[in-house]
Amino acid sequence: RWPDEHGFVQPPDVFIPLAEYSGLIIPMGAWVLEQACAQHARLTAAGFAALKMAVNVSVLQFRRANFVEQVAHTLAQRQMPPDLLELEITESIAMDEPRVVLDSLDALKRLGVLIAIDDFGTGYSSLGHLQSLPIDCLKIDRVFVKEIKPGEGGMLAETIVQLSEKLGVTSVAEGVETPEQAEFLPGLGCRVAQGYLYAPAMPANRLVAWLRDQDDARRANEIAGTFVSSFMPSAPSAHRTRPAEV
């Protein structure tokens, strides 16, 4: 997101095409990667070391000969574990110049970086080529998640989940906005989701506060669960003739 001086937030589907057309996406993409890794270092210092950071990559970045070297340099500079960085590419990148793409993906995988195909299902993937790519995740486009409503939808999302299982990769549902969608997806086999139901996009300072709130809520639930279980009566064994004593 890109807020202007009046507080209006420009969505990425507005300014990213302009940045790609003008070539500004190259320095902008390098800056975003560096900032993401820097932010991960700050989150680690705040006690959230195991979080994964996902960064979108433009086709113009991916075509540059020094892109893999740039990723390696940024990871080393920020001392970020490679397996906590996930680079998200689109289907159009995955299908573009197959040999070049495969070589770059192989090099990124040797670094230990994770690879996800973003907005999956809206492009024109060759399933044969897809099978050859060293990817870790398929992200189900929000269009297919939006179809999930009480008593209907979910067929295309289910197809993508099944495909990800066959490929041996993780599936992630994008754009989850309703409790019905969140409840429906695990039944398809999709265990990871993102969207406004969980949290809106937010600046870094609010993210740390939100993570701490989530941590406090999780600990409170764990304590409550322990408290309840400690007062539950023990189940009578098969040979007991009297009720168990509490």
Side-chain angles (χ1 to χ4, degrees), residues 36-53:
C37 293
Q39 182 58 42
H40 190 275
R42 289 190 285 271
L43 289 170
T44 298
F48 301 102
L51 292 178
K52 183 170 63 179
M53 188 69 74

Side-chain angles (χ1 to χ4, degrees), residues 44-234:
T44 298
F48 301 102
L51 292 178
K52 183 170 63 179
M53 188 69 74
V55 178
N56 293 92
V57 178
S58 163
V59 63
L60 296 182
Q61 292 175 267
F62 207 79
R63 283 177 178 167
R64 289 180 71 86
N66 68 338
F67 176 66
V68 176
E69 180 183 344
Q70 181 186 70
V71 173
H73 173 75
T74 305
L75 287 169
Q77 185 181 42
R78 292 298 178 177
Q79 299 182 325
M80 180 174 176
D83 61 343
L84 294 181
L85 175 64
E86 180 180 84
L87 297 180
E88 297 185 359
I89 64 175
T90 61
E91 285 183 80
S92 61
I93 295 178
M95 299 300 116
D96 184 53
E97 300 180 49
R99 187 68 259 168
V100 174
V101 169
L102 189 57
D103 288 345
S104 296
L105 291 178
D106 282 337
L108 289 168
K109 292 302 294 179
R110 286 194 294 273
L111 282 178
V113 172
L114 303 174
I115 305 294
I117 296 188
D118 197 19
D119 302 331
F120 186 77
T122 57
Y124 300 94
S125 296
S126 160
L127 296 182
H129 181 49
L130 183 66
Q131 190 174 14
S132 70
L133 298 177
I135 60 174
D136 301 279
C137 174
L138 293 180
K139 304 193 74 174
I140 306 167
D141 189 82
R142 65 182 65 245
V143 171
F144 306 122
V145 174
K146 194 174 182 178
E147 291 177 351
I148 299 172
K149 299 173 185 176
E152 62 178 275
M155 182 184 71
L156 293 175
E158 182 177 11
T159 301
I160 296 172
V161 172
Q162 291 174 348
L163 176 61
S164 69
E165 290 174 350
K166 294 293 185 183
L167 293 172
V169 302
T170 303
S171 58
V172 176
E174 298 183 292
V176 176
E177 297 181 351
T178 69
E180 290 80 12
Q181 293 167 350
E183 291 167 8
F184 187 81
L185 286 162
L188 303 182
C190 183
R191 301 282 184 268
V192 185
Q194 64 185 65
Y196 272 71
L197 179 65
Y198 308 105
M202 62 185 77
N205 59 334
R206 283 182 54 200
L207 174 62
V208 173
W210 183 84
L211 287 169
R212 285 183 175 142
D213 288 343
Q214 298 302 303
D215 233 18
D216 291 343
R218 179 182 55 80
R219 290 195 184 105
N221 286 335
E222 289 175 354
I223 293 169
T226 303
F227 179 80
V228 170
S229 64
S230 67
F231 281 88
M232 289 291 287
S234 57

